[in-house]
Amino acid sequence: MIVGGVAGGATCAARIRRLDEDAEILVLDKGPYVSFANCGLPYYVGDVIRDESNLLLASPDLFRKRFNIEVRTRHEVVAIHRTQRTVTVRDLETGRECEEPYDALVLSPGAAPIRPPLRGIDLPGIFTLRTVPDAREIRNWIDTRRAQKAVIVGGGFIGLEMAENLVHRGMAVTVIEMAAQVMPPLDPEIAEYARQRLESHGVNLVLANRVVAFGQGGDGTLSVCAQDGAEFEADLVVLSIGVRPESQLARNAGIAVGERGGIRVDEQMRTCDPHVWAVGDAVEVKNWVTGKWELMPLAGPANRQGRVAADAICGRETRFRGVQGTAVCGFFGMTVALTGATEKALSSAGMKDFETIYLHPNHHVGYYPGAQAIHLKLIFRKSDGLVLGAQAAGEQGVARRIDVIAQAIQMKATVFDLEEAELCYAPQYGGAKDPVNFAGMIASNVMRGDMELAPWEDLATTSALLLDVRERHEFRAGSIEGAVNIPLGELRERLHELPRSREIWVNCVVGQRAYYAARILAQHGFRVRNLSGGFKTYSAFHPEGVRQPAVV
Amino acid sequence: MIVGGVAGGATCAARIRRLDEDAEILVLDKGPYVSFANCGLPYYVGDVIRDESNLLLASPDLFRKRFNIEVRTRHEVVAIHRTQRTVTVRDLETGRECEEPYDALVLSPGAAPIRPPLRGIDLPGIFTLRTVPDAREIRNWIDTRRAQKAVIVGGGFIGLEMAENLVHRGMAVTVIEMAAQVMPPLDPEIAEYARQRLESHGVNLVLANRVVAFGQGGDGTLSVCAQDGAEFEADLVVLSIGVRPESQLARNAGIAVGERGGIRVDEQMRTCDPHVWAVGDAVEVKNWVTGKWELMPLAGPANRQGRVAADAICGRETRFRGVQGTAVCGFFGMTVALTGATEKALSSAGMKDFETIYLHPNHHVGYYPGAQAIHLKLIFRKSDGLVLGAQAAGEQGVARRIDVIAQAIQMKATVFDLEEAELCYAPQYGGAKDPVNFAGMIASNVMRGDMELAPWEDLATTSALLLDVRERHEFRAGSIEGAVNIPLGELRERLHELPRSREIWVNCVVGQRAYYAARILAQHGFRVRNLSGGFKTYSAFHPEGVRQPAVV
């Protein structure tokens, strides 16, 4: 018996059938659909996906015919009786309840959008987006009210996808995010690229602020009140603050949940009750890079979990290896993606044995028309070079590089392996040195001691000499505050101008010339460090604007 | 002393400088440029890259200023005197020769286009493409002669890139290829997708034929004579039959070359002479997937080799791990890529312990507009599931999946690792199950014994019952010759129609429904195999057209 369809539950049901032609399989879902494309909902609101039927992936009829699986939609499981191995099922159409027995129970109830108990939260026009009916209601609201102004509460992945889609519908969009950055899972200097892109497409971003109440004027217009006193008018409000695992049914039955509120399972997706499994957004998963339990409401892991639970139920050896946190989000032509651990996650897990590098390579060779920069941050273990995580933002080729690094992380690759990676190259596809190779080479330089990194966070307080080795005209157009300029081509002749008593931190645009300069200086006995990723990284850390140098 | 610039030589020179500020470094190149983008040349001919200066990556002046490296272009090394550790250098401008001493010599002479000694081969209008002047000459020839018709001899990667670029210039293009397929490194059924794409864009493909002579009419029009007597008119002929390693200088000096004619080196890129290294297109490399020595004239490996040689010369521990054969080629909106071993390569290496599967997943979820199929072939070791190779063709996301599998192969991943890969997913980027996951899942099904594969090559001779489980209307539109049709949804009720004495080979469109059917049949005691990749794979194996079934 499977409670909840969609990704994890439906996958589990179909897999059980493939393994056991004789099993009786019953899927219960309280919603109207057993399997729908929830990741597509923002795009249905945005009219990129035009036909609602495209979102419905498999009907109960298909389950019956193809898999000999019985599906009952609009049926809610309201209680689990573990001793008797039965559940109480309520038919939501008739209200009637009955008992159904199980041998193996799989909980796949998903997660519910968070709807904080703020004043005015139940006013008409304030929506969450989790189901096909939710999306339909938002579409209808926009169409019938001719909604012009939207406020999105929450600047995470779904919030930003919604922002793009509502702009696509012609609306003026404000996003209010509690954190000082959009996309809170990312490190802030990478999220900065997303901020710039959103603002350049007219999205009004309100960061480090939170919504405290909603009101409504006489004409029906909503007002969204922020903590700092600001008010925002809206014809439509979408709450995308996150989701909460639907673990109440399990809790009520005495099934253990973890600290994050998700159902706790073992590597076979089994709960504390050996006859009850759980999969999908309702469970906590072990992030095997950081070793921490997390909520990771993503479709990929949910699918894998469904397969693992099915295998376990059918008596197969199996194991869910945990998650590594690969995710991607796109809006306004930009792709932002990550895999493995962020610096944030490592720091909050108390880990210190890591280094981070930045680079900004073109997605393909510069001499072929249309090259676009990929802003890439790679994190690796200092002691042995193990790749721990990567984040990237750019227009082209971002998911490709993050996927390669995701596969590398899965296989416990080191930065030396990335250096040697043999990837697709033709002028329109990459470079003889792919961005992944560059990341590996730079990190390997650090590992081998050929390049020492200057910590970006100490830039404001360092007593080091800041040396910019770009050409004069580049330096003049904007530079790191306090830096002096000696173009790389003049460096060897001007070594006498540099101090031997003081550390030198070198930068250029992206880090390549600075690396060359650092090698020259190190071999001439200077103490030198590299500001990884150069002026482009500086700009990401200092979005407020870059000072013009007073003296050149 | 480095003989030959471009990828391997220039990289090696720059790396030596980074490791040793005091080394005297001299780069000699017989051509006019020390570093140019040879992979960009077809696109310069095609006017996609418009400005020749874009192809020139680094000038001798930049090498001097930035790296303190002396570069002499138009200087040819004509002899190596290994005992004295000197070379004879000829200044191609003046004809003067002099001796130059070396401590370490790096040979990076590249490879020369093959120009077979056919009748008429030296007629004006017959070109090869390897250098910037070559490309310039072809451009000029097209412009001044208003060339309309081109014959390209050789249907490999460069030949097809040329075909696209000449079509882009408005020319009528014929490609003549000796093999029965284009892109000879690929297995033929994957190359088939390239053939279709080229022909649908008007390229006249002449396969399994070879050029035997060239002639010229009174008006200057060339005629290209093929072995079977056919003649093709042309205003322009481009020879892209392949390249031959420039190993004569090394041979003359008694440096060992391998069976394929390339300079033989060890893992430090050292030749048989401990003071002489060699890198790039002139050397033979070990393919570590097949264990065979190969010529692999690609920029990525050349760059890595340059770095390895530099490290070795500077006394660092280093190792070139060999190549795995990752390559990509694009034309007319299609991308074809491969990594690791092909079935062809494994068979010719005498290896038998492998299986191949086919799949045709969408590059992103089907419900998001614009989904395109990726035609993917995965090869893995039967005994343990080790991933050996992959080939793919499609419009979108091809290089990304091949890169992920390339990284997996490098890390010695198994198909079970691909099954579990956690890759980027959002509707416009992929699927909750990425094409790489699908490949891993299908292969894992084979490894676990859940699905037995029918060998495509035995289709014509098998006594098995061919069972097509698609819907009736799909079957009617075209099917495998001799197949009977039972739609999957009816299979459980119609099991009695199927023979128990005879093996059953199942197919659908791409293999998913056939897999479901095979599971049903296997569990009911039938002997069943799956025709991997279904009717789409059948169509690739049978490009001559698909028979309509006589009886349904």
Side-chain angles (χ1 to χ4, degrees):
Chain A
M1 179 180 302
I2 290 153
V3 182
V6 198
T11 296
C12 182
R15 172 94 180 141
I16 291 173
R17 173 58 71 229
R18 289 198 296 278
L19 299 180
D20 186 351
E21 185 66 12
D22 298 324
E24 275 178 58
I25 308 173
L26 173 64
V27 178
L28 301 162
D29 199 294
K30 67 181 177 183
Y33 306 113
V34 63
S35 180
F36 68 93
N38 41 7
C39 304
L41 297 176
Y43 301 92
Y44 177 49
V45 172
D47 217 27
V48 175
I49 297 168
R50 300 204 159 181
D51 189 351
E52 189 178 300
S53 67
N54 285 337
L55 297 172
L56 307 176
L57 302 180
S59 65
D61 188 52
L62 185 115
F63 270 87
R64 192 166 299 116
K65 274 195 173 157
R66 180 169 291 181
F67 300 115
N68 188 24
I69 288 172
E70 191 184 343
V71 173
R72 294 184 206 150
T73 54
R74 305 280 292 140
H75 278 70
E76 183 174 6
V77 173
V78 293
I80 304 168
H81 315 291
R82 289 164 52 201
T83 336
Q84 299 96 308
R85 288 194 218 153
T86 63
V87 298
T88 306
V89 184
R90 182 181 299 153
D91 180 336
L92 296 178
E93 300 297 331
T94 64
R96 269 199 296 261
E97 293 190 356
C98 67
E99 302 278 289
E100 287 280 355
Y102 66 82
D103 296 312
L105 178 67
V106 180
L107 301 176
S108 172
I114 294 171
R115 235 188 137 89
L118 301 176
R119 180 160 54 81
I121 188 80
D122 292 322
L123 285 169
I126 302 178
F127 295 91
T128 56
L129 178 63
R130 187 73 185 169
T131 64
V132 175
D134 290 345
R136 197 188 301 146
E137 274 180 51
I138 298 175
R139 277 176 72 106
N140 287 345
W141 185 269
I142 294 170
D143 293 341
T144 57
R145 308 279 169 139
R146 297 172 191 273
Q148 312 261 312
K149 277 181 279 186
V151 168
I152 295 168
V153 185
F157 287 38
I158 308 292
L160 301 188
E161 287 180 351
M162 276 307 298
E164 183 197 35
N165 278 290
L166 294 178
V167 168
H168 185 245
R169 298 278 312 239
M171 297 175 77
V173 175
T174 295
V175 176
I176 304 174
E177 165 60 45
M178 221 165 71
Q181 63 171 85
V182 293
M183 309 187 95
L186 290 161
D187 289 329
E189 72 279 13
I190 301 297
E192 171 57 19
Y193 297 104
R195 184 192 67 76
Q196 288 171 13
R197 180 59 57 113
L198 290 157
E199 291 191 341
S200 74
H201 282 75
V203 175
N204 178 31
L205 285 181
V206 180
L207 301 176
N209 206 341
R210 71 165 79 206
V211 171
V212 291
F214 300 93
Q216 193 164 33
D219 62 347
T221 304
L222 294 159
S223 62
V224 182
C225 310
Q227 194 168 32
D228 69 351
E231 266 195 47
F232 303 89
E233 281 200 345
D235 304 315
L236 168 73
V237 172
V238 180
L239 303 172
S240 57
I241 312 169
V243 294
R244 182 178 290 133
E246 292 260 33
S247 51
Q248 196 57 50
L249 176 70
R251 278 175 207 264
N252 292 348
I255 289 169
V257 299
E259 287 160 31
R260 318 291 301 266
I263 302 170
R264 195 50 83 80
V265 290
D266 66 12
E267 289 187 327
Q268 282 74 42
M269 306 310 297
R270 203 184 304 247
T271 68
C272 62
D273 181 325
H275 298 280
V276 183
W277 282 258
V279 300
D281 295 359
V283 307
E284 288 186 9
V285 289
K286 188 70 136 312
N287 181 314
W288 62 262
V289 183
T290 61
K292 297 274 178 189
W293 288 98
E294 287 180 1
L295 297 168
M296 178 80 59
L298 292 175
N303 266 298
R304 279 196 281 137
Q305 292 161 14
R307 284 171 66 85
V308 167
D311 283 1
I313 289 167
C314 295
R316 293 202 169 198
E317 289 251 349
T318 184
R319 196 180 73 87
F320 181 66
R321 69 177 175 92
V323 297
Q324 65 186 67
T326 308
V328 66
C329 186
F331 37 82
F332 304 120
M334 168 163 273
T335 300
V336 183
L338 75 163
T339 186
T342 58
E343 193 168 342
K344 229 181 229 184
L346 291 172
S347 297
S348 88
M351 290 163 80
K352 285 182 181 155
D353 178 16
F354 66 88
E355 280 279 17
T356 68
I357 57 153
Y358 298 91
L359 61 162
H360 311 271
N362 282 329
H363 88 289
H364 65 47
V365 288
Y367 66 78
Y368 190 88
Q372 301 283 354
I374 297 176
H375 306 289
L376 182 56
K377 175 178 184 173
L378 184 78
I379 308 179
F380 54 98
R381 202 152 68 188
K382 212 170 174 172
S383 50
D384 60 2
L386 187 80
V387 182
L388 296 174
Q391 297 160 68
E395 308 218 357
Q396 297 285 338
V398 170
R400 177 170 154 206
R401 274 62 187 215
I402 290 297
D403 273 356
V404 170
I405 298 173
Q407 188 65 54
I409 289 175
Q410 182 190 341
M411 298 306 298
K412 309 231 185 292
T414 65
V415 298
F416 306 111
D417 295 313
L418 298 188
E419 186 180 30
E420 292 194 342
E422 191 182 314
L423 304 172
C424 288
Y425 164 55
Q428 67 275 51
Y429 295 99
K433 293 170 195 141
D434 191 84
V436 172
N437 296 131
F438 275 121
M441 290 163 67
I442 296 169
S444 298
N445 286 337
V446 174
M447 288 298 298
R448 295 191 185 105
D450 290 335
M451 184 171 88
E452 219 173 324
L453 295 174
W456 275 107
E457 61 273 23
D458 295 349
L459 185 64
T461 55
T462 184
S463 60
L465 174 75
L466 304 179
L467 173 64
D468 189 320
V469 296
R470 296 177 297 166
E471 298 301 311
R472 284 183 185 78
H473 69 273
E474 299 174 276
F475 183 75
R476 262 185 234 119
S479 68
I480 296 176
E481 207 179 326
V484 300
N485 180 222
I486 300 180
L488 175 60
E490 301 172 14
L491 187 60
R492 286 188 181 84
E493 297 140 34
R494 294 176 63 182
L495 292 175
H496 60 276
E497 298 178 29
L498 294 170
R500 293 197 170 268
S501 56
R502 202 171 150 196
E503 200 165 66
I504 300 170
W505 289 10
V506 198
N507 84 278
C508 60
V509 180
V510 293
Q512 190 167 24
R513 281 175 284 174
Y515 166 53
Y516 298 157
R519 291 303 305 154
I520 295 171
L521 293 173
Q523 293 190 62
H524 284 96
F526 292 92
R527 286 186 300 133
V528 60
R529 288 173 187 263
N530 198 304
L531 281 160
S532 178
F535 191 66
K536 285 204 181 179
T537 305
Y538 178 75
S539 306
F541 273 113
H542 299 269
E544 70 284 355
V546 172
R547 280 265 300 271
Q548 301 302 305
V551 187
V552 179
Chain B
M1 179 180 302
I2 290 151
V3 182
V6 198
T11 296
C12 182
R15 172 95 181 141
I16 291 174
R17 173 59 70 229
R18 290 199 294 278
L19 299 179
D20 186 350
E21 186 65 11
D22 298 324
E24 275 178 59
I25 308 173
L26 174 63
V27 178
L28 301 162
D29 200 293
K30 66 181 178 185
Y33 306 113
V34 63
S35 179
F36 68 93
N38 42 6
C39 304
L41 296 176
Y43 301 92
Y44 177 49
V45 172
D47 217 26
V48 175
I49 297 168
R50 300 203 160 182
D51 189 351
E52 188 177 300
S53 67
N54 285 338
L55 297 172
L56 306 177
L57 301 179
S59 65
D61 188 52
L62 185 117
F63 269 88
R64 192 167 298 116
K65 275 194 171 159
R66 181 169 289 180
F67 299 115
N68 189 25
I69 289 172
E70 191 185 341
V71 173
R72 294 185 207 150
T73 53
R74 305 280 293 140
H75 279 69
E76 183 174 6
V77 172
V78 293
I80 303 168
H81 315 290
R82 289 165 52 201
T83 336
Q84 299 95 308
R85 286 193 220 154
T86 64
V87 299
T88 305
V89 183
R90 181 181 299 151
D91 180 336
L92 296 178
E93 300 297 331
T94 63
R96 271 199 294 261
E97 293 190 355
C98 67
E99 303 277 290
E100 287 279 356
Y102 65 81
D103 297 313
L105 178 67
V106 180
L107 301 177
S108 171
I114 293 172
R115 236 189 136 87
L118 301 175
R119 179 160 55 81
I121 187 81
D122 292 323
L123 285 168
I126 302 178
F127 296 92
T128 56
L129 178 63
R130 186 74 184 168
T131 65
V132 176
D134 289 346
R136 198 189 300 144
E137 274 181 50
I138 297 176
R139 277 176 71 105
N140 287 344
W141 184 268
I142 294 171
D143 293 342
T144 57
R145 309 278 170 141
R146 297 174 193 272
Q148 312 260 313
K149 278 181 277 186
V151 168
I152 296 168
V153 184
F157 286 39
I158 308 291
L160 301 188
E161 287 179 351
M162 277 307 299
E164 183 196 35
N165 278 289
L166 294 179
V167 168
H168 185 244
R169 298 275 315 238
M171 297 174 77
V173 175
T174 295
V175 175
I176 304 175
E177 164 61 44
M178 220 167 71
Q181 63 171 86
V182 293
M183 310 187 93
L186 291 161
D187 288 329
E189 71 280 14
I190 301 296
E192 171 58 19
Y193 297 103
R195 183 191 68 75
Q196 288 170 14
R197 181 58 56 112
L198 290 157
E199 291 191 342
S200 74
H201 282 74
V203 175
N204 179 31
L205 286 181
V206 180
L207 300 177
N209 206 340
R210 70 167 80 206
V211 172
V212 291
F214 301 93
Q216 194 164 33
D219 61 348
T221 304
L222 293 159
S223 62
V224 182
C225 310
Q227 194 168 30
D228 68 350
E231 266 196 47
F232 304 90
E233 282 201 345
D235 304 314
L236 167 74
V237 172
V238 180
L239 303 172
S240 57
I241 312 169
V243 294
R244 182 179 289 135
E246 291 261 34
S247 51
Q248 196 56 49
L249 176 68
R251 279 174 206 265
N252 292 348
I255 289 169
V257 299
E259 286 160 31
R260 318 291 300 266
I263 302 170
R264 194 50 84 80
V265 290
D266 66 11
E267 289 187 328
Q268 282 74 44
M269 306 310 297
R270 204 184 304 247
T271 67
C272 61
D273 180 326
H275 298 281
V276 183
W277 282 258
V279 300
D281 295 358
V283 307
E284 288 187 7
V285 289
K286 187 70 139 307
N287 182 315
W288 62 260
V289 183
T290 60
K292 297 273 178 190
W293 288 98
E294 286 181 1
L295 296 168
M296 178 81 59
L298 292 175
N303 267 297
R304 281 196 280 138
Q305 292 161 13
R307 285 171 65 86
V308 167
D311 283 1
I313 289 167
C314 296
R316 293 200 168 200
E317 289 251 350
T318 185
R319 197 179 73 87
F320 180 67
R321 68 176 175 91
V323 296
Q324 65 185 67
T326 308
V328 65
C329 186
F331 38 82
F332 304 119
M334 168 164 272
T335 300
V336 183
L338 74 163
T339 187
T342 57
E343 194 168 342
K344 229 181 230 185
L346 290 172
S347 297
S348 88
M351 291 164 78
K352 286 182 181 155
D353 178 17
F354 66 88
E355 279 280 17
T356 68
I357 56 154
Y358 297 90
L359 61 162
H360 311 271
N362 283 328
H363 88 289
H364 66 46
V365 288
Y367 66 78
Y368 190 88
Q372 300 283 353
I374 296 176
H375 305 288
L376 181 56
K377 175 177 184 173
L378 184 78
I379 308 180
F380 55 97
R381 201 152 68 189
K382 211 170 175 172
S383 49
D384 61 2
L386 187 80
V387 182
L388 296 175
Q391 298 160 68
E395 308 219 357
Q396 298 285 337
V398 171
R400 177 170 154 206
R401 275 62 187 214
I402 291 297
D403 273 356
V404 170
I405 298 173
Q407 187 65 54
I409 289 175
Q410 183 190 342
M411 300 305 299
K412 310 230 184 293
T414 65
V415 298
F416 307 111
D417 296 312
L418 298 188
E419 185 180 31
E420 291 194 343
E422 192 182 314
L423 303 171
C424 288
Y425 164 55
Q428 67 275 53
Y429 296 99
K433 294 172 197 141
D434 191 84
V436 172
N437 296 129
F438 275 122
M441 288 162 69
I442 296 168
S444 298
N445 286 337
V446 175
M447 288 297 300
R448 295 192 186 105
D450 289 335
M451 183 170 87
E452 218 173 325
L453 295 175
W456 277 108
E457 61 272 24
D458 296 349
L459 186 64
T461 55
T462 184
S463 61
L465 174 75
L466 304 180
L467 173 64
D468 188 321
V469 296
R470 295 177 298 165
E471 298 300 312
R472 283 182 185 78
H473 68 274
E474 299 173 277
F475 183 75
R476 260 183 237 122
S479 69
I480 296 176
E481 208 180 325
V484 300
N485 179 222
I486 301 180
L488 175 59
E490 302 173 12
L491 187 59
R492 285 188 182 85
E493 297 140 34
R494 294 176 61 182
L495 292 175
H496 61 275
E497 297 178 29
L498 294 171
R500 295 200 168 263
S501 55
R502 200 170 152 198
E503 201 166 65
I504 301 170
W505 289 9
V506 198
N507 84 279
C508 59
V509 180
V510 293
Q512 190 168 24
R513 280 176 284 174
Y515 167 53
Y516 299 157
R519 291 302 304 155
I520 295 171
L521 293 173
Q523 293 190 61
H524 284 96
F526 291 92
R527 286 186 300 133
V528 59
R529 289 174 187 261
N530 198 305
L531 281 160
S532 179
F535 191 65
K536 286 203 180 180
T537 305
Y538 179 75
S539 306
F541 274 112
H542 298 269
E544 69 284 356
V546 171
R547 279 264 301 270
Q548 303 301 306
V551 187
V552 179

